[in-house]
Amino acid sequence: MLKKLLYLIVEGIAKVHDKILTLNDSYEYAFTDKELHFIIIALIGIGILFVIHPLFKALSKKHVMVISWIYVTTLIVVITFAIEIGQKITNTGNMEFADIMFGIIGFFAAFFAFCFVRGIYHFIIKTINKNKKKKMLEYRRSLKERNAEEVKDN
């Protein structure tokens, strides 16, 4: 399955590559392969940046954890693919798409467990702070009442 997926991706990239080379030859720009890689990857990167930067900027105001999750998920996908490709190249295991999926699902499960524990922690802290604030307000109210009684007595 993974092998088929990789071949489909490689075939798609090869078709785009051939189209770019055809355009390069037909307009007689004579860019070398390295120059084309420089230009195309630069354009892809900047295009992605124009989409991702505003999104991350908006998320960073209140949702830094979402940015962390996106970054780590991206790394996990790259790492799991690298492991499977490495197994194929070195013949140390089978390159299987299911292994990638189970690895990514494992990360999701661990992340959701982390979020659950984190949620409980934040709930406890919020409850404690709310109780402290309530006690502080009651204390201030009682001080005001005492001061008002002392003013009446004088």
Side-chain angles (χ1 to χ4, degrees):
M1 171 101 175
L2 178 60
K3 196 173 185 178
K4 289 179 184 178
L5 176 66
L6 289 174
Y7 276 115
L8 282 173
I9 292 169
V10 169
E11 285 174 11
I13 291 170
K15 286 178 184 178
V16 171
H17 186 264
D18 289 344
K19 181 69 174 169
I20 291 170
L21 286 178
T22 301
L23 289 171
N24 185 47
D25 293 343
S26 63
Y27 291 105
E28 298 178 7
Y29 288 122
F31 288 119
T32 66
D33 187 55
K34 303 297 180 260
E35 291 169 333
L36 285 171
H37 278 266
F38 180 89
I39 293 167
I40 299 304
I41 299 300
L43 292 173
I44 291 170
I46 292 300
I48 292 170
L49 182 67
F50 285 152
V51 172
I52 295 298
H53 180 69
L55 174 67
F56 279 19
K57 190 174 180 181
L59 288 172
S60 70
K61 293 179 181 171
K62 284 195 172 188
H63 305 288
V64 176
M65 181 60 76
V66 174
I67 295 171
S68 300
W69 181 82
I70 291 169
Y71 181 76
V72 172
T73 301
T74 303
L75 286 177
I76 291 298
V77 168
V78 170
I79 289 167
T80 55
F81 268 92
I83 289 169
E84 291 304 309
I85 292 168
Q87 285 180 351
K88 175 68 175 176
I89 291 170
T90 62
N91 290 321
T92 56
N94 295 324
M95 184 173 75
E96 296 178 19
F97 187 71
D99 291 348
I100 292 170
M101 293 309 300
F102 274 89
I104 293 169
I105 291 168
F107 166 67
F108 286 168
F111 182 77
F112 289 128
F114 165 76
C115 287
F116 180 74
V117 171
R118 185 174 183 262
I120 291 171
Y121 169 79
H122 283 291
F123 175 76
I124 291 168
I125 296 300
K126 189 176 182 178
T127 304
I128 289 169
N129 288 339
K130 189 183 285 186
N131 287 338
K132 283 182 182 179
K133 188 175 182 179
K134 186 178 179 182
K135 287 181 181 182
M136 183 60 75
L137 289 172
E138 289 173 3
Y139 177 72
R140 287 180 183 167
R141 192 174 305 125
S142 68
L143 282 178
K144 285 181 183 180
E145 289 172 2
R146 285 185 206 159
N147 288 339
E149 287 177 13
E150 288 177 9
V151 169
K152 284 182 186 179
D153 291 342
N154 292 335

